[in-house]
Amino acid sequence: MKIAVLAGDGIGTEIVAEAVKVLKALDLKMEMESALVGGVAYDAFGHPLPPATLALAKASDAILFGAVGDWKYDKLERQFRPEQAILGLRKELGLFANFRPAICYEELVDASSLKPEIIAGLDILIIRELTGDIYFGQPRGRRIATDGHFPGSEEAFDTMRYSRPEIERIAHVAFDAALKRKASGGAGRVTSVDKNNVLETSQLWKDVMVEIGQQYPDILLDHMLVDNAAMQLVKEPKKFDVVVTGNMFGDILSDEASMLTGSIGMLPSASLNSSNQGLYEPSHGSAPDIAGKGIANPLATILSAAMMLRFSLGQADAALRIEAAVKAVLAKGLRTADIYGKGGAGITKVSTLEMGNAVVAALIAPAK
Ligand code: NAD
């Protein structure tokens, strides 16, 4: 089991250090190798995704990723901005399927800005297509101005595109995931989110979803326009099971869903290619506003490491152990600042490091 550890910028180093600690505590045979990515790689090598980092990622079974980006790089030409590293890894490794489970832990019901009855017991899965759509259409890579516009031009454009095979493969991922969830009590439902009332790409998306859906008679497929989906996610999130959507809509909806779980610091993600090689990262960014303060929540990254064990490394038992340890520390009342809420009796505010240590302790000596 070879893992590339790419911590990146901002809180990336702080949260990945805790996830690495948790992985080491499992005492499994795994090799971990670190490399620079994002702004720190640009500072050291003049590129956010240096060839050696890409080579390490390609040669590994899985990548544990922190986050990239900082406002100080905003003036760079787009191709050198830290965020290009993550787009480059997705494209180079063909990581087309992004899994973002949004689970509301019982203990964090009060940390969400929504009413407890809306989110208690929430367990939904957002599947976002990751290598197509407007982020990869023209004129990606052709922009050379620092302000996101063509030099000297009064207009800019991006092209939204999807091909049938791209939609087919993400559709299969979504229906297969719904089948798996159904086997353990899931609703057996896929909601495909698009904007087919105005976009041709969305019409193709919907048509292909319907076609592929016919191969899965045990799964109910429904469709929702993205504006309505954004509303329903906060109105009645529990009526969803698996949501499948394109790259841009998925980007926005999955961040929205993160707040259903209490904090973006709780939401893990997995991005897989067709051979189950994957990149595992928290759904949030590098949080420059809190970087270096030791207060970031490492749980999304630790839970991403659990997804890595399950999806790419064939270690489902170890994944369950991590997830149980996370539940145990939450049950003990430990909270980083973002999930502290109103505090109260039995609730203790902890640092990034203390949260990581507590997960390790719960792993080593699970509560009976
Ligand atoms: P962000 O996700 O970094 O932060 C949004 C808010 O959530 C901030 O207030 C932050 O403090 C808080 N937050 C995020 N993670 C947290 C955690 N683990 N614990 C506690 N609080 C947390 O989004 P942003 O501020 O819009 O972006 C900051 C930088 O991150 C930008 O450069 C952006 O491009 C980049 N970014 C990178 C990725 C990635 O690496 N995949 C994803 C999103 C944003």
Side-chain angles (χ1 to χ4, degrees):
M1 292 189 283
K2 184 168 168 140
I3 302 166
V5 180
L6 311 183
D9 305 317
I11 61 168
T13 45
E14 302 165 45
I15 52 179
V16 166
E18 299 313 310
V20 166
K21 209 152 75 180
V22 170
L23 284 171
K24 285 187 176 159
L26 289 168
D27 214 13
L28 292 171
K29 238 186 152 146
M30 56 174 87
E31 188 192 327
M32 291 191 242
E33 191 177 333
S34 302
L36 294 182
V37 74
V40 286
Y42 176 80
D43 291 341
F45 303 112
H47 199 282
L49 184 57
T53 302
L54 180 58
L56 172 68
K58 283 186 169 170
S60 302
D61 299 305
I63 302 156
L64 182 64
F65 194 91
V68 290
D70 191 293
W71 314 126
K72 73 178 183 189
Y73 300 105
D74 280 1
K75 294 254 178 305
L76 284 179
E77 291 175 18
R78 191 167 296 277
Q79 73 211 43
F80 295 121
R81 291 201 201 160
E83 294 79 4
Q84 295 301 314
I86 186 82
L87 294 180
L89 282 167
R90 285 172 188 164
K91 201 74 195 167
E92 288 285 336
L93 276 76
L95 304 169
F96 70 94
N98 183 227
F99 289 69
R100 296 192 184 200
I103 296 171
C104 183
Y105 290 90
E106 209 183 308
E107 294 81 5
L108 296 186
V109 165
D110 289 329
S112 172
S113 49
L114 295 180
K115 291 190 188 118
E117 61 269 28
I118 307 275
I119 46 135
L122 179 82
D123 179 357
I124 63 176
L125 174 65
I126 298 192
I127 294 182
R128 167 186 170 199
E129 200 290 329
L130 211 53
T131 52
D133 207 344
I134 198 158
Y135 299 161
F136 289 97
Q138 281 184 318
R140 193 179 118 65
R142 289 205 291 124
R143 280 197 176 137
I144 49 169
T146 55
D147 59 358
H149 294 75
F150 294 107
S153 164
E154 287 305 308
E155 71 175 27
F157 70 90
D158 299 278
T159 315
M160 183 177 261
R161 61 160 294 286
Y162 263 120
S163 68
R164 173 175 284 274
E166 282 174 318
I167 305 170
E168 283 174 354
R169 65 181 181 176
I170 197 73
H172 282 295
V173 168
F175 286 111
D176 287 338
L179 274 180
K180 256 196 203 147
R181 285 167 64 90
K182 194 175 179 187
S184 49
R189 182 159 166 224
V190 169
T191 303
S192 169
V193 172
D194 63 40
K195 187 75 183 168
N196 77 80
N197 53 342
V198 285
L199 297 173
E200 290 309 316
T201 33
S202 279
Q203 190 57 54
L204 179 66
W205 179 278
K206 185 174 178 182
D207 293 346
V208 174
M209 283 290 156
V210 170
E211 271 175 48
I212 303 298
Q214 284 162 0
Q215 298 172 29
Y216 295 84
D218 293 338
I219 301 298
L220 183 75
L221 169 68
D222 57 17
H223 306 270
M224 202 176 276
L225 295 175
V226 63
D227 35 355
N228 186 24
M231 188 172 75
Q232 297 301 331
L233 260 180
V234 286
K235 186 172 172 238
E236 223 181 325
K238 282 187 272 187
K239 78 174 180 197
F240 293 102
D241 177 19
V242 173
V243 174
V244 62
T245 189
N247 205 344
M248 182 168 67
F249 300 152
D251 194 357
I252 300 163
L253 292 181
S254 56
D255 263 26
E256 186 188 358
S258 72
M259 279 323 290
L260 305 172
T261 68
S263 166
I264 197 159
M266 291 300 302
L267 203 72
S269 85
S271 305
L272 298 177
N273 65 18
S274 39
S275 22
N276 278 345
Q277 187 190 22
L279 183 147
Y280 298 84
E281 58 170 336
S283 294
H284 57 76
S286 54
D289 54 335
I290 58 166
K293 295 185 179 163
I295 57 169
N297 185 346
L299 293 181
T301 315
I302 290 171
L303 291 167
S304 301
M307 289 180 88
M308 174 173 81
L309 289 160
R310 180 174 291 119
F311 287 144
S312 289
L313 304 177
Q315 300 285 336
D317 288 349
L320 283 173
R321 280 181 65 201
I322 294 181
E323 287 157 357
V326 167
K327 279 191 192 135
V329 298
L330 292 175
K332 259 177 97 178
L334 303 188
R335 306 280 187 272
T336 42
D338 58 306
I339 50 173
Y340 186 69
K342 296 186 198 94
I347 303 294
T348 313
K349 195 182 275 185
V350 294
S351 67
T352 310
L353 189 101
E354 288 165 334
M355 185 59 106
N357 287 347
V359 175
V360 169
L363 255 187
I364 295 171
K368 294 275 178 296

